[in-house]
Amino acid sequence: MSSPALSVAIERFPLKVPFVIARGAKTEAVVVRVTLNDGAYAGQGECTPYARYGETPEGVVAAIETAGRIPGALASREALSAVLPAGAARNALDCALWDLEAKAAGISAHERAGVQSIGGVETCYTLSLDAPEAMARAAEAARAHKLLKLKLGGAGDMDRMAAVRQARPDARLVADANEAWSEDMLGPFLASAMASDFELIEQPLPAGADDMLDGLMHSVPVCADESVHTRADLAAIAHRYAAVNIKLDKAGGLTEALALRDAARAAGLQVMVGSMVATSLAVAPALLLAQGADWVDLDGPLLLASDRAPAVRLEGGLLYPAPRELWG
């Protein structure tokens, strides 16, 4: 297969309200969209460059364009993985190749991936980091969502968890500390999470400080996010965590993400499928991965003031894939 023609663009999508986590706030989703055209069909993919991993939109575009100039690099997903490391740039191209392959073959991407059918999944709805009272009000306002994910930030997190639980005794709750807890917070904060009936705490400690979890009796399961990008990371963390959050932008695309999911399951880990704040084009391939996951966190399009069309849809509390016109 010869390499398809490449086009790439930075695009911005304003959010309904600011999105706040322990590392800062954003008012828009800044994404990179890739289109690959073989003359008969066009496939597209999207990624979200993430500063936490040293990525910028301009840097990701440059990496994509450089890959496009390497003979044969975009001819297949296997060739792509040999020239680009895991990360946002490879994700956009990998997903675009999945889309192009599906359209050229006349069968869906999920069928090509061995997934017999793809349906709606219950997704987390994220509550931005704020004062406990404000997060409780946000939880009340999100009555349509039965699975809530709290963004935490360190000091005050016990009050945040308790306030949201009091406001929403009916909800399933998980939380993401985004590396904001210290070793001395770990035990008391996990105990507080258990008291408020949380199902999962995501990445409480900084990546690289995972050894603080050694020997710790987890009163609530702990999930690795920043500590796991690809299969290569599993060996160091599998005995310290109960679950992993798989994101296409970290793994470098759907190809590695599917392999990571299988390896995580084989290691006895539960699986969350997540994404950055992005559009339905980024979530579409992740929904393929999310079939059968223990937790799904793909609410990025729900946070946008305006999404792509056609878009994923939320119906009866479940998130459903967009039409294949968008992806797959």
Side-chain angles (χ1 to χ4, degrees), residues 42-110:
Q44 56 181 351
E46 177 184 304
C47 69
T48 304
Y50 199 40
R52 168 65 180 81
Y53 305 133
E55 296 172 337
T56 65
E58 295 76 15
V60 165
V61 168
I64 290 169
E65 291 177 337
T66 297
R69 290 191 290 270
I70 299 173
L74 305 185
S76 68
R77 289 180 281 116
E78 293 74 20
L80 174 66
S81 67
V83 300
L84 273 181
R90 196 174 86 193
N91 175 36
L93 287 167
D94 181 83
C95 290
L97 284 167
W98 273 96
D99 190 30
L100 181 60
E101 291 166 12
K103 289 178 169 61
I107 64 172
S108 67
H110 70 78

Side-chain angles (χ1 to χ4, degrees), residues 183-277:
E183 185 175 13
D184 62 323
M185 292 174 176
L186 194 58
F189 283 21
L190 286 175
S192 180
M194 181 178 67
S196 291
D197 195 25
F198 275 69
E199 297 181 10
L200 191 74
I201 299 295
E202 192 179 335
Q203 198 69 43
L205 298 166
D210 309 289
D211 58 345
M212 294 181 191
L213 294 168
D214 285 345
L216 180 72
M217 293 296 291
H218 299 177
S219 47
V220 174
V222 178
C223 176
D225 181 3
E226 286 86 352
S227 291
V228 174
H229 292 232
T230 69
R231 286 169 288 173
D233 300 318
L234 282 178
I237 65 89
H239 61 293
R240 293 168 170 152
Y241 289 90
V244 294
N245 187 343
I246 302 174
K247 295 176 179 174
L248 273 61
D249 275 314
K250 291 189 302 176
L254 181 59
T255 304
E256 172 61 24
L258 288 165
L260 173 56
R261 177 200 61 189
D262 294 344
R265 292 289 195 201
L269 295 165
Q270 292 179 286
V271 169
M272 171 183 276
V273 173
S275 70
M276 308 304 183
V277 180

Side-chain angles (χ1 to χ4, degrees), residues 151-177:
K151 288 294 188 178
L152 301 178
D157 283 350
M158 289 192 289
D159 292 335
R160 292 182 179 99
M161 289 186 285
V164 170
R165 171 51 73 199
Q166 184 174 6
R168 288 294 305 277
D170 62 306
R172 296 172 56 205
L173 301 179
V174 299
D176 183 3

